[in-house]
Amino acid sequence: MISLTVTAVVFGVVFLAELPDKTALAGLVLGTRYRASYVFAGVAAAFAVHVALAVAAGSVLTLLPQQIVHAITGVLFLGGAAVLLMKKDEDEEEVRRPENQSFWKVSGAGFMLILVAEFGDLTQIMTANLAARYDDPLSVGLGAVLALWSVAGLGIVGGKALMKRVPLKLITQIAAVLMLGLGVWSLWEAIAG
C-alpha cells in the first residue's frame, strides 16, 4: 500500500534538492537541442534506475536497529544540507550531440548522461536515506522518481523561464533547510528512542 504522506514528503525533498543540480541544467541543454519527448524518455529511464538502486540500498539499512538507522540517516541528511549550502553555482555542461536525431540516439544520450552524472549524487543518497527512514520502499521510490521526472520535465521544457523567476540560490537554501530539519529529527529519534 502506498502512503501518500511519505510519497509527498519524499517528492518535496527530492524535488527541491534536484532543482539546482547539474543534471537539471543538462536536461535543459539537451531539451534545447533535441525533441523533448526523446530526451525525457532517456532521462526518465536513467532516473528510474537510480531510484531503484537507492531504494534497494535504503531497504538494506532497515535491517539494522532503528536507533542506528536514525543516527546514520540524520548524519547523512546534515551532510547533504552542508553540501547544498556550500555548493557553488554550476555552469551548463557541454553535451555531446548525437550524429542523428533518432529516438534511440537522443534518448540513449540522455540516459547515459544522467546515469553517469547522477551515480552517487546527493539525491540518490537522500533517496536511500528516506527509504531507510520510512521503511516504505514503494512510497519512497514513487515520490523520488516523480520528483526527478518533474525536475527533468521542467528542465527540458521550461527550465530557463523557471530559473529567471525563482533564484537558484533560494531553491538550494530551501532544500538545505528541509534536509537540515530531517537530519535533526532523525538524530533526535536516535537519541530519544
Side-chain angles (χ1 to χ4, degrees):
M1 182 112 167
I2 294 174
S3 165
L4 293 179
T5 303
V6 171
T7 301
V9 167
V10 171
F11 179 91
V13 170
V14 172
F15 182 86
L16 287 172
E18 187 64 21
L19 267 180
D21 195 68
K22 64 186 173 296
T23 52
L25 295 174
L28 173 72
V29 171
L30 285 170
T32 60
R33 296 179 182 185
Y34 308 111
R35 178 179 255 172
S37 60
Y38 292 5
V39 173
F40 184 77
V43 168
F47 276 134
V49 169
H50 277 286
V51 168
L53 292 173
V55 168
S59 295
V60 169
L61 284 177
T62 62
L63 301 174
L64 297 172
Q66 201 63 14
Q67 282 184 295
I68 293 174
V69 171
H70 287 313
I72 290 170
T73 58
V75 168
L76 290 173
F77 275 128
L78 292 176
V83 166
L84 282 175
L85 290 172
M86 295 186 307
K87 187 177 189 175
K88 304 280 187 246
D89 291 338
E90 297 183 8
D91 297 326
E92 291 181 17
E93 294 183 10
E94 187 59 36
V95 178
R96 275 190 23 198
R97 185 186 268 280
E99 283 77 43
N100 65 47
Q101 299 276 330
S102 74
F103 172 80
W104 293 109
K105 292 284 185 182
V106 173
S107 63
F111 179 84
M112 290 309 296
L113 176 70
I114 298 304
L115 192 69
V116 171
E118 282 291 301
F119 200 80
D121 193 57
L122 179 63
T123 51
Q124 190 178 30
I125 294 167
M126 280 176 38
T127 301
N129 289 343
L130 290 162
R133 168 139 186 58
Y134 290 112
D135 195 14
D136 186 353
L138 193 55
S139 299
V140 170
L142 180 63
V145 82
L146 290 176
L148 293 168
W149 288 355
S150 296
V151 171
L154 283 172
I156 292 166
V157 175
K160 283 184 181 174
L162 176 67
M163 295 306 173
K164 286 180 184 174
R165 288 179 173 70
V166 180
L168 193 57
K169 186 173 182 158
L170 176 62
I171 293 167
T172 302
Q173 289 171 340
I174 291 170
V177 167
L178 282 173
M179 289 184 69
L180 181 65
L182 285 168
V184 169
W185 184 19
S186 294
L187 289 175
W188 172 254
E189 286 186 337
I191 295 167

